[in-house]
Amino acid sequence: MADNNIFLFVPNLIGYARVVLGVASLYFMPTNYVLAAWCYILSGFLDAFDGYAARALNQSTKFGAMLDMLTDRCATMCLLATLGTFYPSYLFVFQIVMVVDISCHWIHLHTSNVLGKTSHKNVGEEENALLRFYYTSRPFLFFMCAGNELFYSMLYLLHFTYGWTLLGMSLIKVLVILLFPVAVLKVVLAIMQGGSAWRDLGYIDIKEREEAEKKQ
């Protein structure tokens, strides 16, 4: 029985640690940017290890997958809300990014469950090639997720400090500039993901109505 106690599976224990680090990051976010950034980035860094642990130890669970996704979405949403207060002239942009991130991931997960997929990361051959590559290439998926989170983290730090400089340039500002395309592409991928999910959900409705008509 102990072996089946999924609440104590290693990847889920890592997930709990990520939640604690995330909450700590939010607590320090308005006042202590060093602690807030370290907690946030460490929580994101552990995201790579819970998936690896789940596969290596054969401890993949629906509970863990949901915990992982909600931790990611909530952390990003709260960071974007903070950035909206730090950069009020870009508040609308941050709001749109939040709406896209939450809504597209939610409808994608919901549609995956309706279709009976074992994972929301399973994509069919009919999907867009870029979206398929995003979910099937772990290095690319990691690069996109890490780059996206690092962009917003550096934007957060830039509100407080320019950090180290090299040749008179702020390394934090350089990272913000370099990672900006990654953040934009992440939004585009989320929109593609959401659009695909809405399409599939619509096809489910059509199929169910056609089957109901045949029974009449």
Side-chain angles (χ1 to χ4, degrees):
M1 177 63 79
D3 291 341
N4 291 323
N5 186 356
I6 64 98
F7 301 107
L8 296 180
F9 278 6
V10 172
N12 294 339
L13 293 176
I14 295 174
Y16 306 148
R18 292 191 63 215
V19 171
V20 172
L21 286 168
V23 172
S25 175
L26 300 183
Y27 178 78
F28 292 115
M29 206 166 274
T31 55
N32 192 325
Y33 70 89
V34 176
L35 273 176
W38 273 112
C39 289
Y40 190 91
I41 292 173
L42 181 57
S43 176
F45 182 70
L46 287 176
D47 187 25
F49 286 94
D50 60 0
Y52 174 79
R55 292 186 295 272
L57 300 173
N58 191 28
Q59 292 184 345
S60 298
T61 60
K62 296 180 179 65
F63 177 91
M66 184 60 72
L67 177 65
D68 183 54
M69 173 176 274
L70 285 177
T71 301
D72 290 339
R73 303 284 64 76
C74 290
T76 303
M77 178 183 65
C78 290
L79 177 56
L80 287 166
T82 302
L83 291 176
T85 65
F86 288 171
Y87 305 97
S89 58
Y90 294 97
L91 176 60
F92 178 70
V93 175
F94 294 128
Q95 287 174 326
I96 292 298
V97 174
M98 280 189 277
V99 168
V100 169
D101 187 50
I102 296 297
S103 63
C104 290
H105 277 87
W106 189 90
I107 189 62
H108 177 64
L109 181 62
H110 174 70
T111 303
S112 296
N113 288 335
V114 172
L115 289 171
K117 292 183 179 180
T118 55
S119 170
H120 66 280
K121 294 181 180 179
N122 293 340
V123 293
E125 291 297 325
E126 73 281 358
E127 294 296 347
N128 177 281
L130 178 59
L131 195 60
R132 205 164 58 241
F133 180 68
Y134 173 68
Y135 274 118
T136 55
S137 172
R138 286 202 180 98
F140 182 64
L141 178 64
F142 175 79
F143 171 76
M144 289 301 302
C145 293
N148 183 66
E149 291 298 326
L150 196 57
F151 168 75
Y152 293 118
S153 298
M154 293 302 102
L155 201 57
Y156 164 78
L157 287 176
L158 196 59
H159 174 74
F160 295 96
T161 178
Y162 283 106
W164 293 324
T165 58
L166 181 65
L167 301 177
M169 296 183 295
S170 163
L171 293 181
I172 292 177
K173 196 168 185 178
V174 169
L175 279 174
V176 167
I177 294 170
L178 292 177
L179 292 171
F180 176 70
V182 176
V184 172
L185 181 56
K186 189 71 166 59
V187 172
V188 171
L189 285 166
I191 293 173
M192 291 168 57
Q193 177 189 60
S196 175
W198 280 113
R199 179 203 64 203
D200 291 343
L201 197 60
Y203 286 155
I204 292 172
D205 279 332
I206 292 172
K207 184 177 180 180
E208 288 179 350
R209 291 178 67 86
E210 288 176 345
E211 290 177 351
E213 290 175 357
K214 289 178 182 178
K215 293 179 180 178
Q216 291 178 355

